[in-house]
Amino acid sequence: DGQLYAIIDFDSDARAKADFDLPEPIRCREVLPQSMTLWMSSGGTTSVLHHDDAENVLILLAGRKTVMLVHQDQAQNMYAPLAEHQGSSPVHQDAVDLVAFPRFANVSWIRGELQAGDMLYIPHTFWHQVNSYDRNLAVNLWWQHKDDWRWWDPSDRKEYSAPDFGRPGRVPFDVLKSRAPASLPCSPLPAGADLTQTKFVDEDSFKRRASKLRREAKKRGEL
């Protein structure tokens, strides 16, 4: 039997947005949804090992998934700088060629398993790989907090470059992220509010905004 799958972008689908409520931990006016996607498959499908420049929640509606999760500072052990496609690893995690990629043996990782009704939070830039089993239906939401500029300047490649984390002399990711306040504001959304009432901010727009706010704060001597 062939493997069937579909990836459906819901960013401009008002009917889909009306069916989606932000999960309670991020049900805040300050949370800026970036993109929402529906993932469907007949099972037996896999993703590559990759990262996203955003916070991520993965919600499984039907089927089962297993997820490999790897810290940002493991990028060198995953040979991220050698990847043909930016944001991914050239190593196939289920059949690792340890002659070509010997450092992959040093990768420390977490295994997660999702059943229907489960939700997984995947932190910003955290490497992950997903396997899907049985008839599979999931939705994920990428998002940012409006104050993420306090720790992140997307335009500063000397400071933030996902393939370069873990290099000697590179600031560890957790040190970078620790520049954010210990807690961020969360003004609760009204009861019954869905994503049709929340403005989506695309990735490029958010990155430009974050870089601009950080530059302005530096000029004012606040950073």
Side-chain angles (χ1 to χ4, degrees):
D1 293 338
Q3 295 175 350
L4 304 176
Y5 68 94
I7 303 172
I8 303 172
D9 180 350
F10 277 169
D11 293 357
S12 57
D13 189 325
R15 292 177 62 187
K17 289 181 178 180
D19 284 338
F20 194 94
D21 294 335
L22 283 175
E24 195 63 32
I26 58 172
R27 194 173 171 78
C28 312
R29 296 182 187 276
E30 293 83 1
V31 165
L32 306 176
Q34 179 175 297
S35 185
M36 185 168 69
T37 301
L38 181 72
W39 306 83
M40 302 172 61
S41 80
S42 58
T45 56
T46 66
S47 77
V48 298
L49 185 56
H50 67 286
H51 76 86
D52 301 303
D53 288 348
E55 310 286 356
N56 187 4
V57 286
L58 174 63
I59 302 169
L60 186 59
L61 305 176
R64 179 172 68 92
K65 290 184 184 292
T66 57
V67 186
M68 179 183 189
L69 298 158
V70 187
H71 191 276
Q72 297 89 338
D73 290 340
Q74 294 282 324
Q76 305 313 302
N77 288 334
M78 293 183 291
Y79 297 84
L82 302 182
E84 181 177 351
H85 301 289
Q86 187 175 4
S88 67
S89 166
V91 184
H92 192 293
Q93 71 288 332
D94 288 335
V96 179
D97 182 345
L98 289 176
V99 174
F101 305 111
R103 291 199 306 274
F104 200 85
N106 299 324
V107 170
S108 299
W109 58 287
I110 302 169
R111 181 183 185 276
E113 181 167 340
L114 282 74
Q115 304 287 346
D118 288 341
M119 179 178 72
L120 176 67
Y121 165 57
I122 303 174
H124 196 294
T125 325
F126 220 83
W127 293 83
H128 53 286
Q129 186 276 330
V130 183
N131 299 314
S132 300
Y133 304 91
D134 310 317
R135 175 182 174 275
N136 216 269
L137 184 66
V139 64
N140 88 290
L141 179 76
W142 290 287
W143 55 278
Q144 312 277 1
H145 189 283
K146 73 177 186 65
D147 285 344
D148 279 348
W149 64 270
R150 295 185 179 278
W151 71 268
W152 183 36
D153 182 353
S155 66
D156 187 348
R157 306 307 291 176
K158 293 181 180 179
E159 181 177 85
Y160 178 84
S161 175
D164 293 323
F165 284 122
R167 285 187 186 275
R170 172 70 63 167
V171 176
F173 182 87
D174 289 346
V175 172
L176 195 65
K177 191 69 181 288
S178 70
R179 300 190 308 198
S183 61
L184 293 171
C186 176
S187 306
L189 290 170
D194 56 48
L195 283 183
T196 61
Q197 298 152 328
T198 303
K199 181 181 178 181
F200 276 51
V201 178
D202 67 79
E203 179 179 346
D204 289 342
S205 296
F206 183 87
K207 286 181 174 180
R208 288 193 297 269
R209 174 184 178 275
S211 295
K212 179 181 178 182
L213 289 174
R214 194 161 180 84
R215 287 194 302 270
E216 292 174 348
K218 285 181 178 179
K219 289 180 181 178
R220 295 191 299 268
E222 297 175 0
L223 297 176

